[in-house]
Amino acid sequence: MIPEGFEICEALEERITMYFNSPRDILVHLRDTGVNGVYTPSNNLARIMHEYPRHDEGCPLTYHPIYIIARKK
């Protein structure tokens, strides 16, 4: 993952959960932020919309960013 000639100085990760009113709102958010590069056929989309988990807070979407600081050796 790290190119040859570099060393990792620090690596951190976190989980960020956001809640939306509906699965459709999640898909709009993903589209608007440019993070959804996956093609989903319409029949799968209907299934996802129907089966997406819902909680009291709404429909969750969790990001799992990983931050890496590296430097040349």
Side-chain angles (χ1 to χ4, degrees):
M1 183 164 126
I2 300 298
E4 190 174 324
F6 285 83
E7 63 183 349
I8 296 176
C9 300
E10 190 159 356
L12 304 167
E13 64 180 295
E14 66 178 320
R15 294 186 191 272
I16 302 167
T17 301
M18 300 170 64
Y19 292 92
F20 294 85
N21 292 327
S22 71
R24 183 183 184 288
D25 289 343
I26 291 173
L27 294 174
V28 168
H29 170 78
L30 291 173
R31 183 196 67 209
D32 290 348
T33 56
V35 296
N36 187 18
V38 178
Y39 170 73
T40 304
S42 59
N43 59 341
N44 285 345
L45 185 58
R47 183 177 52 78
I48 290 169
M49 299 278 282
H50 178 71
E51 296 178 1
Y52 202 89
R54 289 161 173 83
H55 301 281
D56 291 339
E57 301 93 340
C59 298
L61 173 66
T62 302
Y63 289 99
H64 184 187
I66 299 171
Y67 311 98
I68 299 174
I69 299 173
R71 68 173 173 219
K72 281 188 170 183
K73 291 183 181 179

